[in-house]
Amino acid sequence: MARLFRWLLRLTAGSILLGLAGAGLVYFLAAQSLPDYDKEIALPGPTAPVEIVRDHANVPHIFGSFGASDEDVFFGLGYAHAQDRLWQMAVMRRTAQGRLSEIFGPRTVKTDSFLRRLDLYRTARSSVAAQSPESLRALEAYASGVNARLQEVNERALGRGAPEMFLFNMPIAPWQPADSIAIMKLMALQLSSHLQEEILRAQTSIALDNPARLLDILPDAPGTGTATLPEYTELFPGPFPTPDAAPSEGSQYAALMPVAPRGLGGASNAWAAAPNRSAAGGTLLANDPHLGLSAPGIWYLARLELGTGGVIGGTIPGIPAVLTGRSQQMGWGVTSSYLDDQDLFVEKINPDNPQQYLSPTGYKEFESRPSIVQIKGNEPLTLTLRWTDNGPVLPGSLFDLASVTPPGHVISLGWTALSPRDTSMTAALELMRAQTVDQAIIAGENFIAPSQNLTLADAETIALKTVGAMPDRDPRNQSQGRLPNQGWRRENQWQGRLPYAANPEFVSPRGGILGNTNNKLLDRPFPNHVSFEWGDTQRINRWRRLMQTREVHTRDSFIEAQLDTVSYSARSLLPLIGADLWFTGEAAPDGTPARQRQIALSLLAEWNGEMNEHLPEPLIYASWVRALQKRLIEDELGPLADAFTRVDPVFLERVFRDIDGAGVWCDVQQSAPTETCTDMARLALDDALVYISEHYGNALEALRWGDAHQATHDHEVLGEVPLLRYFVNIRQSTSGGDNTLQRGLTSGEEPAPFRNVHAAGYRGVYDFADPDSSVFIIATGQSGHFLSRYYDDMAQFWRRGEYIPMSLDEDLARAAAVGVTRILPR
């Protein structure tokens, strides 16, 4: 027995030692790719020495020595991006190319098939020749910087450049200018949402018995309404299959699908103050673009010392431009414009020849070609890519398009980003060199996609200009771009691009303040309307109040607005939905549903609408309105109700104010009694309290919104891998909500409907009375290497609403530098 015990002890000890040795080997291999920021190295590419000074927050300040050109500085940016975010860049490039399945197998075939059908990468390659000579030189220099890092990794055996490379054998081809353009087009895809909106509007039009109710559940932004539109069933009689409201991607890599789910197509805040509204007498600008959260985040902070002066701000790895930031003379911020730059076209197939579709001049051959998707571990998949005059043909399985496709038809996509002469990269590079607002607006004419609102400020002037190609639609367009249209009718087809002058523009407003929260900018008739779908109808009201309650503003007041967590929606809706419930219940013993209802109503009665992570009221409110919307719509919409994952405050207000008869939604069609809106509010509150008790406990006063509203900075590939996910994912309790200025958009989907999945990955506030007092922050950290101290070092600052200095002072950057890389020409 003793001998057996000794053998067991030896085996156990040996297993532990082997496990420790294995873990040590894994750590050693992974650590080899940690960048060395303090070195001197000779590399092919630059024409003169380049210095990359990493300040105390690991923000690279890139300087060319005497005799260096701007191209040498772009080389340095490419090298720095590849040092810190090589895996992220490689994955984004493969996504744009439709080549993920070569690495990840069948789980990404759907994504690859979609990108191949869009032909995004081929249009990116075609667009290289459309760039200005100066921009092309910058793209080539940036690519040389990336490739110099790849060469260094290979020559010095630096752990394949990223730890993920040991788990996935991903050969990395040399970087090319087309790759940067493709990533910008990929961002356009992630920021475009009209495709999904058209599908949902068509599905809802089919599902509703009373078409008059369509404007309730899919309301226009408050303001002048649009002209009456035809029902989808008038355009296409059908029959249509039952829609699959929430199709599953069926993959742990669903995050790699670059089309954001409905409601996650981009959002942002930006505002500016003229000198007469600034306490210090200089212009002010604040910007916080909202995107899906991930680890690492999409943003990367950098400073470039160009011939026109220093620029500093947020870059996206793979793109050689500061997309939001400032120079010494000017600042610029971006917000999603919600420009309607996508249309779906229903194409009629020739019943006698399926290789033809109907055009305004008769039947015409599809343009087509095969494309082979290589799939790791499986046989390759051959796709037949087809195009009409309107755009690429999409399969019915994508976004449940089959549910709105009549028999004998297919659907194609018109989208501005598919231009083979996309000069958006040139516009972004020219914007960095602009010295005044006027110059920046001129540079914006070259933007094609993604369409954005540029908020601008120089020493004296503030402005907002929408950039991006606006499709020129015929005023006779059948659905005004809101529904899939008959592609064979000339009046439904695009006539080109509207003049840049038609893009909204606001320069030096009389009140001295301008801003955008993705709200409706103006009210112009179709086809100059910009959009019928806007990203915000609520936050703008809170922003307006914060701006108007101060005669003058400061950097700190702009920061306060950026971090504001008061929900205008909660303040507006609670008096409506709770009007007949407050203080009307009878006494009830502890532990009963009636008592829980009284406690909840009492808490909400004293609440000011602040979505603070430490309070219980935000969770009670969010659960209540979520349950209420579900009760109101599920009998009318059936399975399609699951597509409405987040609460629409305008819909609830229409119902409870009975606007245009919208109160009819409160009556359950399948039941004999006639339910009132008070009935539905009470039942929904009970639903919410049951949900809370099952997931968070019965002690309502002890609830914390932050426990439910956790920011999910998850690794897009490793985020669901057991054990490893604890090292690569970053989870944080956060304040804010769907309709607060400090926006933390909830997922809306079980099992965690209140998780914060879409927020401000970058925040910046620029004060041109004292430019070096400007501040910025990103949501995670500069590094994409999960063993790096810079992987998540900014996450806690971001969560607490803190910032780091945004200075162009070279001495300050050098004073606390964590490393200086000196690159010499080889």
Side-chain angles (χ1 to χ4, degrees), residues 66-200:
F66 179 76
S69 63
D70 282 358
E71 286 73 39
D72 293 322
V73 176
F74 287 116
F75 174 95
L77 179 62
Y79 181 83
H81 276 168
Q83 270 189 308
D84 288 322
R85 302 285 187 89
L86 183 60
W87 170 260
Q88 184 181 41
M89 293 169 65
V91 169
M92 286 197 293
R93 177 171 65 174
R94 279 190 175 270
T95 303
Q97 292 172 332
R99 295 180 56 209
L100 291 171
S101 300
E102 296 174 17
I103 308 303
F104 303 119
R107 292 168 291 192
T108 53
V109 167
K110 184 174 182 179
T111 299
D112 284 346
S113 299
F114 177 46
L115 270 296
R116 295 287 182 97
R117 293 183 191 281
L118 292 183
D119 221 9
L120 208 64
Y121 193 72
R122 189 171 72 156
T123 60
R125 285 187 302 185
S126 299
S127 296
V128 171
Q131 309 309 310
S132 71
E134 190 174 35
S135 298
L136 186 55
R137 289 195 299 271
L139 285 165
E140 290 171 342
Y142 176 85
S144 294
V146 176
N147 294 332
R149 173 60 179 174
L150 293 176
Q151 182 173 331
E152 180 191 9
V153 168
N154 292 330
E155 289 178 351
R156 302 193 178 195
L158 299 180
R160 301 185 182 178
E164 293 91 343
M165 299 293 186
F166 287 104
L167 298 174
F168 303 96
N169 183 21
M170 183 189 291
I172 301 181
W175 200 264
Q176 301 177 42
D179 299 334
S180 295
I181 296 172
I183 288 179
M184 182 169 277
K185 287 180 176 289
L186 193 67
M187 294 306 302
L189 184 58
Q190 292 176 322
L191 293 170
S192 301
S193 59
H194 288 272
L195 182 156
Q196 297 99 305
E197 292 294 338
E198 285 192 31
I199 296 170
L200 183 62

Side-chain angles (χ1 to χ4, degrees), residues 354-366:
Q355 305 306 316
Q356 294 182 333
Y357 68 96
L358 184 61
S359 75
T361 57
Y363 284 109
K364 188 174 183 180
E365 294 282 334
F366 286 102

Side-chain angles (χ1 to χ4, degrees), residues 5 48 113 137 205 228-229 427 490 591 675 691 815:
F5 175 76
S113 299
R137 289 195 299 271
S205 176
T228 301
L229 298 175
R490 197 176 299 279
E675 290 83 6
Y691 180 88

Side-chain angles (χ1 to χ4, degrees), residues 523-535:
D523 196 13
R524 296 194 308 208
F526 179 87
N528 294 319
H529 64 306
V530 179
S531 180
F532 290 117
E533 310 287 345
W534 301 91

Side-chain angles (χ1 to χ4, degrees), residues 403-423:
S403 67
V404 296
T405 306
H409 296 72
V410 293
I411 290 184
S412 65
L413 171 67
W415 182 32
T416 57
L418 299 181
S419 166
R421 295 190 55 79
D422 187 342
T423 51

Side-chain angles (χ1 to χ4, degrees), residues 216 219 536-539 567-570 572-573 576 621 625 629 646-656 738-739:
D216 296 332
D536 173 48
T537 61
Q538 305 293 300
R539 292 182 290 122
S567 172
Y568 172 88
S569 306
S572 302
L573 289 178
L576 280 177
Y621 160 75
V625 291
Q629 178 168 287
R646 273 168 295 276
V647 172
D648 189 329
V650 177
F651 167 65
L652 294 184
E653 183 176 9
R654 286 180 65 89
V655 170
F656 276 78
D738 291 355
N739 305 119

